[in-house]
Amino acid sequence: MSANPALLATLAGLTLALAVTLFFALRARRRSQQLAEQLHDEWRLRHAATPLIATVDGEGRIKRLTGADSLGLAPVEDGLPASFLTVALLPGDSLAGSPPPWMMHLTQGGQERYLLGWPAQEAPESLSATRRICLSPASSLLGTMDELQATREQLEQLTAMLDTLPLPVWRRDASLRLAWINRAFVDFVEGNDRTGVLEDQRELAATPAFGTPRRLAEKARESHTLETHSLPVIVKGERRQISLSEMPLQAAAPGAPGYLGWALDESAAAALSREFERHRQAQAEILEAMGAAIAIFGQDTRLTFYNSNFARLWRLEERWLDGAPSYAELLDSLRARGAIPETENFRDFRSRQLARFTALPATEEEVLHLPDGRTLRVVIAAHPPGGLLFSYEDVTNALELQASYDTLMAVQRETLDNLAEGVAVFSSDGRLTLLNPAFMRLFQLSPPETARGPHAAELVDRMLTVFPHPDAELRRELLSLALERSSRALRAELNQGLVVEISSVPLPDGAMLNTVVDITDTVQVERSLRADNAALTEVGRIKSEFLANVTSQLRSPINAVQGYADILQRGQFGELTQRQNDQVDGILEASEKLRRLIDDILDLATIEAGMLSLDLALVPVATLLSEAGEITRDWARRSDVALVIDCASDAGLILGDRRRLVQVLFRLVSSAIRATPAGGRVLLSARRSPDGLEITVSDTGLGGPGIEPGLLFTPFDRAARGRDGEGPALGLTLARNIIELHGGSLTLGAQPGGGTRVCLTLPATQALPLLPDDALEDFAMSARSSAAGLQLDLPDPAATDRLGEALGPLLAPGDSVLLEGDLGTGKTALCRALIRRLAGSETAVPSPTFTLVQTYETAAGPLAHLDLYRLEEPDEVLEIGWEELVQDSICLVEWPARLGPHTPRNHLLVRLEMTATGGRRARLEGRGSWQARLAAAASALTGVAGLAELS
């Protein structure tokens, strides 16, 4: 299609009007000539029989009438008035060059006469001069005259119609000269009047390549048919495209001389045609890009357009499709290849399909199941230019997905209906879209109340009836669970004594999922466990207070006994006998044992209360073993036990509390000596390992057969006694606790062949190789200063991030970092930097303000980020799984004061505060084993920001 249909219809209408007007004009002209010839012939016959000559003056009065008696007319006296009518013909229609005829109406003596005549000489343009007119009676010629006049009027009307046409029209004579033009022609060539244009023989247009329209007329004269030509012209300063047409008049009116021409302005049509072609191309590109197969068939049922998907769908060659096959041929081809379903009567099926082209149907849609298993959705619509548009969409996968979806929804519905937990889903507009029977049962809802999808506010008002103490705050909490897009949880008690936990989870489509779990049994167990835990905590407190009171009350008498016994031994009250000296020595030995026991009890109570601090320093391992051996060597000699010290040359240094470590080795060696019979051996050794430093105390003594290992770490247990009646349990318990404060561990096992082996393992961060003296001095100073705390200036937020990134590699599952500070001091920012250091820089780290806890999987292991600001009671932390998290994960805790008694003994405390300059200050303090670990990491952390103060 190359032009706008509306424009084509307009041009066709103009052409048809022109053709019809020309046809009738030519016919009227031809009839006018025939009547004029007939009239002239009859006049000549009559004038020959009765010659009549009238002399007419300039005023139209007959001065003399010759031959009047032959018509029975009286002589003319003094002039006879008469009325004249000129029968005018078109130019060129006069007979043999004669002037137009005259009609005379003469009244005389009550008689009317009509006379027809031609001037005897060429008539002037008016009646101002006297002339002679040859007349003859015209009464019998009136019919011919009337018909001639009517034909003349019709010809004038048709000529006026040609003048009103908006396109130039012209007529050429037999010599191809312009004989007549309409007004549009005059305007087109910008002429002044019609006569001037005809005199100048100004043609409509001319181009060097084509020439003038006269050349087109010559072609029409040669071919005797219509000739057309299109060419560009300039009209009134504008470029226009016109179509010229020339045709012989004989083609329209046989026998008519000359040629007829007209011009059509195709500028608008050409522009519209180009625009329409662009739209057509754009439409073709759009249809080509569509996923559906598209084919357009014209009114003649032949293919006018198809896209590549159509060829692929039916596996047709594009060369065959480019041949514009008919729709019937397409159906025959598809049937021959078995591409469409077989029908009982294919001929009737094809006829029904072809009938759509003539029935002008509305848009139709049908589903077509192909033999190869595919299913097509077919849409047939009328194409505006004519014909039909076919759209084929492969919906096989869509139907399979729909079936799978329906099955999945049925399974989901069955699953939800049989869940013990209540489930409700609220859409983004707050209306209930899904709930299961468990939800209805817990809140005593009926199907009519939920069938119409009530709003969350309406449903919450109905749910409040099952709560014992409904109030505005509870209503607000329930509404927020249904409407606010955040993960939250609410624990509440219902009328029946049930305790439920209502949780909300935002869904990807904007809806909110609410789940309700009956946790009545869990709550009862928790309450029982809390009561038991409170009782155990109280018992432990009473025990610790009892031990503290007992030991403090026993110190003074023991000191007094030791003082008096020492006075007696020195003989201040006189010399003692040998027996008395032995008894005084027994008193001093027994009091010393009692004093050590009291000290151990005090240390154990201090450690269990988390109040024992370590005085960390770098100590050579060989020095520790030597000091422990010096203290116990005399005791071993008296017990006839060989004490052997074996320290590897690469044992190096250890970062720890020298006095406490010597105390541990003393307890272990003394216990080994007590457990070893005379002639036995106790070995104290140290060596480095991939895990750090191992210090071993082994003996060849009793080895503890028949004693449960757990009892050896139970203070005051009677089953764990040595040969002298003293038990190792208290000493082992104290030793283990001190080693754990250093971040290490203590293990107890049997020696091959008999005896006991105790192994102390300190981590690699505590065990260091030997350093030069100056480095050793600097590191020892840093370690001693960092034992209690490390203070860092953080001048900008980037420094806070760097501190978090530096802390990350120091952490492992089981570590806890507690962050204190006011709002805005950067606790969450530090946690976010630490988490991204371990989990990846692209990890999203939302604040756990509302969720309480956010968990992550990192390269170092599981990590939990907790914000306990919203907790009211310390025991609430148990409900979010604190006991499991603190054992298995790296825990970052904001607002750790909410932990209360659940605060881990070993942790790193980070206190953040704002400075007067707008920066931040961080104070890091180690608790338990973190004292030594913080000291070891001090040099690395001080590189993060300026070290303002070491305390």
Side-chain angles (χ1 to χ4, degrees), residues 631-937:
I631 297 172
T632 58
R633 194 174 300 280
D634 290 341
W635 192 352
R637 187 171 51 252
R638 291 195 302 267
S639 301
D640 192 18
V641 174
L643 177 60
V644 180
I645 298 177
D646 179 16
C647 183
S649 60
D650 63 346
L653 303 173
I654 187 169
L655 180 65
D657 190 326
R658 178 173 181 170
R659 184 176 69 85
R660 292 296 182 184
L661 291 175
V662 172
Q663 179 185 2
V664 168
L665 295 179
F666 169 73
R667 296 298 183 191
L668 295 178
V669 173
S670 62
S671 296
I673 293 173
R674 284 195 301 270
T676 303
R681 189 184 76 152
V682 174
L683 175 63
L684 176 60
S685 63
R687 66 180 181 86
R688 295 182 66 86
S689 69
D691 296 331
L693 178 68
E694 291 185 358
I695 301 177
T696 305
V697 179
S698 60
D699 62 59
T700 58
L702 299 177
I707 301 176
E708 292 291 336
L711 298 179
L712 294 174
F713 293 99
T714 304
F716 314 110
D717 190 270
R718 297 178 61 85
R721 296 278 178 101
R723 64 183 180 181
D724 55 0
E726 293 187 17
L730 183 59
L732 287 175
T733 302
L734 181 60
R736 184 184 65 177
N737 289 345
I738 292 175
I739 293 300
E740 288 180 350
L741 285 177
H742 284 77
S745 62
L746 185 150
T747 58
L748 178 66
Q751 282 274 85
T756 305
R757 181 177 183 273
V758 180
C759 182
L760 310 179
T761 302
L762 294 172
T765 55
Q766 313 297 109
L768 303 171
L770 288 174
L771 302 173
D773 292 341
D774 53 350
L776 179 62
E777 181 179 356
D778 294 341
F779 192 86
M781 181 181 296
S782 175
R784 286 194 300 272
S785 299
S786 302
L790 179 68
Q791 182 168 292
L792 300 174
D793 276 340
L794 307 174
D796 50 38
T800 303
D801 295 342
R802 292 196 299 272
L803 176 58
E805 294 172 355
L807 287 174
L810 304 178
L811 303 178
D815 288 338
S816 297
V817 180
L818 311 185
L819 297 101
E820 293 183 349
D822 295 334
L823 292 172
T825 54
K827 299 187 296 297
T828 302
L830 190 146
C831 290
R832 185 174 290 114
L834 192 155
I835 292 169
R836 287 176 174 164
R837 175 66 174 82
L838 297 177
S841 59
E842 301 299 326
T843 304
V845 185
S847 173
T849 302
F850 295 102
T851 59
L852 300 183
V853 60
Q854 293 282 352
T855 58
Y856 305 88
E857 287 296 330
T858 71
L863 184 147
H865 182 195
L866 299 92
D867 187 330
L868 307 181
Y869 180 79
R870 303 180 66 192
L871 295 187
E872 298 180 357
E873 298 293 336
D875 288 345
E876 293 182 11
V877 74
L878 301 177
E879 300 176 6
I880 60 176
W882 170 250
E883 293 177 338
E884 293 79 9
L885 292 175
V886 77
Q887 292 179 5
D888 304 330
S889 305
I890 300 171
C891 292
L892 310 180
V893 184
E894 299 182 41
W895 306 98
R898 305 292 199 274
L899 288 172
H902 305 293
T903 303
R905 185 175 64 183
N906 301 320
H907 65 265
L908 174 63
L909 179 63
V910 181
R911 289 192 175 97
L912 294 169
E913 60 183 13
M914 302 299 295
T915 63
T917 59
R920 297 185 179 119
R921 180 175 294 115
R923 182 176 180 82
L924 284 69
E925 300 178 9
R927 295 288 188 268
S929 62
W930 263 100
Q931 288 184 356
R933 295 174 64 183
L934 179 61

Side-chain angles (χ1 to χ4, degrees), residues 246-258:
E246 293 275 0
M247 63 174 293
L249 288 175
Q250 293 180 353

Side-chain angles (χ1 to χ4, degrees), residues 395-410:
V395 295
T396 307
N397 294 335
L399 293 178
E400 292 176 355
L401 288 176
Q402 183 65 39
S404 299
Y405 174 78
D406 294 340
T407 302
L408 181 62
M409 291 302 296

Side-chain angles (χ1 to χ4, degrees), residues 224-244:
H224 304 286
T225 57
L226 173 68
E227 293 288 342
T228 61
H229 182 75
S230 180
L231 74 161
V233 296
I234 303 298
V235 180
K236 297 181 181 179
E238 295 183 1
R239 182 181 177 86
R240 312 293 286 271
Q241 186 76 21
I242 63 173
S243 175
L244 300 177

